[in-house]
Amino acid sequence: MVTFQTRLSQISKINGKVILANDYDRSVKNLETKTIQNIKQLHPFLCGIKLNFHLLLPLSAKAILKINNTAHRYGLQTIADIKLNDIGNTNRVTTEHLWNLGFDAVIANPIMGLDSLKNLVKSSHKSGKGVITLCHMSAPEARLSYDMEIKMGRKQQLYQLFLNWALAAKVDGIVVGATFPKIIQYCSKKAGKNLKIFSPGVGTQGGNANEVISSGTDYLIVGRTILNSKNPSSVAKELQLQSFGK
């Protein structure tokens, strides 16, 4: 069975390492049509597309499946960004639904605990699907929680614990905001080749693509910087080139 990591790696060698965060506010009409248009227009510059929780809720199962099938026709991987965090049975049932809807991976919150996270990864990998966990988010206020000092055997910050759990559970990747390049560098150095780093926050939130790539980011997650630009294809192409190190 081909794994999520392998599928994503294969398309990224051709299309670069930009994942479109298809993030709109509630004012957008014809969300399904708009999302499919984005895939068709931007797919040459993308390796994947991420759909956030608030955009999944108004869509029907039929619409979500159509979006995922369209992405797959263009070789893209799809990620359900629901920050999953619950007891084991709920996590399992939730991911079963997501896989039936055509998603390739889910973003989860490791606050669920290490044992639950291990079980989530195990069940997802059996289906050839991926799990990406939060490590440190991109918003400025993220410091209030992810930088919090905790004591779990030894004093450490919360994001360091989440990194350790990600490694122990053998997740496919972690989310570290592009606005925190030093933390990306720390995670990259400690994780080595065992984890892929996915970084949202480039552009609109202040993150610099070149800086985070040189710090160790593997994949750029970019939404408003592309979607709100006058020429989305041009911006996506520039980010694609940066993801190739050009």
Side-chain angles (χ1 to χ4, degrees), residues 167-186:
L167 289 166
K170 297 182 180 179
V171 305
D172 298 277
I174 55 173
V175 174
V176 184
T179 46
F180 296 97
K182 290 184 178 180
I183 294 177
I184 292 172
Q185 193 172 40
Y186 169 85

Side-chain angles (χ1 to χ4, degrees), residues 53-163:
F53 203 178
H54 72 288
L55 295 181
L56 296 177
L57 291 174
L59 292 171
S60 66
K62 182 179 179 181
I64 295 171
L65 190 58
K66 184 177 180 181
I67 289 169
N68 283 330
N69 285 341
T70 302
H72 291 154
R73 280 204 305 273
Y74 289 100
L76 307 185
Q77 293 293 284
T78 62
I79 301 169
D81 184 4
I82 64 169
K83 299 174 178 67
L84 181 62
N85 166 34
D86 217 302
I87 62 171
N89 183 64
T90 301
N91 291 338
R92 180 182 57 79
V93 173
T94 300
T95 50
E96 285 177 358
H97 284 299
L98 292 175
W99 309 152
N100 288 335
L101 290 170
F103 284 103
D104 297 288
V106 64
I107 293 180
N109 189 336
I111 202 73
M112 68 177 71
L114 181 55
D115 288 342
S116 291
L117 182 57
K118 285 181 176 180
N119 289 333
L120 174 62
V121 171
K122 184 178 180 180
S123 64
S124 299
H125 284 180
K126 280 184 178 179
S127 300
K129 306 297 184 177
V131 177
I132 302 164
T133 53
L134 302 179
C135 186
H136 197 296
M137 294 180 71
S138 55
E141 60 267 26
R143 285 190 180 279
L144 294 174
S145 53
Y146 292 93
D147 287 9
M148 188 185 305
E149 189 174 271
I150 60 172
K151 188 175 181 180
M152 289 278 291
R154 62 180 179 83
K155 286 185 178 180
Q156 59 186 319
Q157 291 174 291
L158 184 60
Y159 78 83
Q160 294 173 319
L161 175 67
F162 284 171
L163 173 61

Side-chain angles (χ1 to χ4, degrees), residues 214-225:
S214 64
S215 296
T217 287
D218 295 287
Y219 296 97
L220 303 173
I221 299 177
V222 188
R224 289 171 291 172
T225 301

